Amino acid sequence: MNKLNVAVIGAGSISEAHLNAYKQNPETNLYAVCDLNADRARAKADKHGAAKVYADYRELLADPAVDAVSVCTWNNSHAEISIAALEAGKHVLVEKPLCKTVEEALRVEEAVRKSGKCLQIGFVRRYSSNTAIVKQFLEAGELGEIYYAKATCLRRLGNPGGWFSDRERSGGGPLIDLGVHVIDLCWYLMGRPKVRSVSGNVYNRLGNRAHVKGLSFYKAADYDASKNTVEDLANAVIRFENGASLLVDVSFTLHALKDELSVKIYGDKGGAELEPELAIVGEKYDTILNITPQVDHPTFHFTEGFNREIDHFVDACFGRRETLSPVEDGVEMMKILCGIYESAEQGREIRFDEGAPGAGPHA
Ligand SMILES: NC(=O)c1ccc[n+]([C@@H]2O[C@H](COP(=O)([O-])OP(=O)(O)OC[C@H]3O[C@@H](n4cnc5c(N)ncnc54)[C@H](O)[C@@H]3O)[C@@H](O)[C@H]2O)c1
């Protein structure tokens, strides 16, 4: 059997999840690691047994032995590296968010179309087994039509610093970093309806609160708290063409009693909660039923999620399955995220329906 030679570009915190998942997939050969920081790339390659190390992604992409890449760099290079990889004939798994702007997303979409290669966006929660369980109920029609969803991802203290808090490199704060996960998950489960309008608010009231002691949190590989140009809280209402709506709030820091993660969808026959506890709500014989699936991972499980995501990507590279998170969905997600930032900046609703004032796409 010919194995897929894979390379990981960007050897920081999340690369570890990709490297571990590729190692456990019997059809991949972990071939190379690349990072602007060559020492970091070498350390990861040594740790995980990759043969090659690169500091320049262009040199890596010129290597004909590479079949597929994971793009785990800062958000500002996702589009550039993904397009270059597709043009070099490589399959691409690009971390979320797809990129920083709608314009970039459309360019990646065009490159996918031209190359005929597989591009999967790292919407890892779509691949999680608790999501797959809810999807089965949805596909069997047991929840009916989903008309409302609610997603919350609040960190009381959790600005990862470094590039995450530099808007130039990240494209924004908790909305583009955390909101992308929970908005995408709801939107995916709602059946990916077309977005009609967004209305959002962003706040930068608390700064990054790097002075707070005693609580640990996720940090960028080059943690640096000296620059912070991103919001610390965002909220939004998103309306879809089918009349459904999604309410979301996310924070890097907030004076909340505890962190909160909650993802819930409501249909006209039943509902489902994916976080903080997997549960399905239905009705039978005039009685409301709360169903609690008995599984090893009732909520998102980090290792399981990444393993399933990467197994699916490998299947897609071999042409056995379609990816669950194609580039078109990344374009729609960038429209939503950028629309929310634009709405907050302008203090008004942004409409996407044709002919509406301010109709997207927005860069
Ligand atoms: N799916 C998830 O749950 C999840 C979780 C965390 C991060 N992420 C995403 O993963 C990406 C990386 O995040 P992280 O936390 O690992 O950041 P990080 O700062 O820990 O690591 C990023 C690495 O990329 C390298 N890099 C940046 N630009 C590069 C370039 N042009 N060429 C080569 N290397 C480059 C940096 O030197 C750094 O080592 C981000 O897009 C982030 O949104 C996803």
Side-chain angles (χ1 to χ4, degrees):
M1 182 183 68
N2 275 343
K3 288 196 175 193
L4 198 72
N5 271 340
V6 297
V8 173
I9 307 175
S13 311
I14 207 62
S15 70
E16 197 64 16
H18 288 243
L19 291 159
N20 282 324
Y22 283 126
K23 275 199 309 195
Q24 62 76 49
N25 184 301
E27 292 184 297
T28 61
N29 171 43
L30 196 51
Y31 176 75
V33 180
C34 169
D35 200 291
L36 290 173
N37 179 331
D39 291 340
R40 186 173 295 155
R42 178 161 306 285
K44 286 275 181 196
D46 288 349
K47 178 176 174 194
H48 294 282
K52 298 271 217 158
V53 172
Y54 290 95
D56 184 337
Y57 78 83
R58 292 172 204 85
E59 284 174 25
L60 168 94
L61 295 177
D63 185 337
V66 177
D67 299 311
V69 296
S70 269
V71 180
C72 300
T73 57
W74 310 325
N75 301 345
N76 65 336
S77 53
H78 285 190
E80 175 190 315
I81 298 177
S82 298
I83 292 169
L86 292 163
E87 286 176 353
K90 322 294 186 195
H91 302 292
V92 175
L93 169 54
V94 55
E95 261 304 343
K96 46 57 55 174
L98 173 58
C99 49
K100 280 175 50 183
T101 66
V102 177
E103 187 272 333
E104 280 183 339
L106 291 168
R107 282 199 286 119
V108 179
E109 188 178 36
E110 176 71 1
V112 174
R113 200 184 51 73
K114 279 192 180 147
S115 70
K117 293 286 157 187
C118 165
L119 180 135
Q120 176 165 310
I121 303 167
F123 292 142
V124 64
R125 284 171 182 270
R126 290 191 181 197
Y127 294 89
S128 169
S129 58
N130 66 336
T131 304
I133 290 169
V134 172
K135 198 86 167 85
Q136 277 183 303
F137 279 77
L138 282 162
E139 282 168 2
E142 295 207 26
L143 308 186
E145 191 185 323
I146 305 299
Y147 58 91
Y148 179 47
K150 201 164 183 289
T152 290
C153 185
L154 298 177
R155 287 182 184 166
R156 59 200 313 221
L157 182 74
N159 181 327
W163 71 269
F164 280 96
S165 43
D166 170 10
R167 191 162 183 180
E168 278 301 302
R169 286 182 287 169
S170 62
L175 178 64
I176 201 165
D177 182 45
L178 308 174
V180 66
H181 276 304
V182 291
I183 294 172
D184 176 70
L185 185 54
C186 289
W187 180 64
Y188 171 67
L189 293 171
M190 293 167 97
R192 302 189 278 188
K194 276 205 100 47
V195 56
R196 171 179 284 164
S197 68
V198 296
S199 187
N201 302 283
V202 305
Y203 299 89
N204 195 346
R205 295 290 178 90
L206 306 185
N208 59 14
R209 297 171 81 210
H211 58 278
V212 173
K213 297 183 184 74
L215 263 188
S216 54
F217 55 91
Y218 187 91
K219 287 180 175 151
D222 302 289
Y223 181 73
D224 173 7
S226 62
K227 186 172 188 182
N228 186 41
T229 53
V230 298
E231 78 278 5
D232 44 52
L233 171 77
N235 63 35
V237 57
I238 304 161
R239 288 197 182 82
F240 298 97
E241 285 184 0
N242 64 357
S245 56
L246 163 55
L247 209 56
V248 60
D249 58 356
V250 291
S251 71
F252 269 172
T253 188
L254 185 70
H255 288 303
L257 195 58
K258 52 187 175 134
D259 288 351
E260 195 179 331
L261 177 61
S262 143
V263 177
K264 302 176 180 181
I265 57 171
Y266 304 100
D268 49 24
K269 287 195 182 148
E273 307 201 347
L274 290 98
E275 304 282 349
E277 290 294 333
L278 180 62
I280 314 279
V281 180
E283 189 186 307
K284 249 183 191 161
Y285 314 119
D286 299 333
T287 307
I288 290 175
L289 299 180
N290 290 356
I291 303 166
T292 316
Q294 302 299 299
V295 289
D296 282 344
H297 302 302
T299 55
F300 176 73
H301 183 270
F302 190 82
T303 306
E304 191 229 27
F306 277 92
N307 286 351
R308 285 171 60 100
E309 175 186 45
I310 275 170
D311 288 348
H312 202 113
F313 175 58
V314 172
D315 278 353
C317 293
F318 280 115
R320 290 192 293 258
R321 282 202 276 184
E322 292 287 317
T323 175
L324 289 184
S325 45
V327 68
E328 306 81 70
D329 291 4
V331 173
E332 201 67 9
M333 200 47 52
M334 292 318 299
K335 261 170 76 174
I336 293 175
L337 298 170
C338 295
I340 293 171
Y341 281 124
E342 190 177 331
S343 162
E345 209 174 284
Q346 297 186 10
R348 66 176 180 90
E349 181 178 63
I350 300 292
R351 295 188 59 175
F352 295 92
D353 32 345
E354 251 168 72
H362 300 273

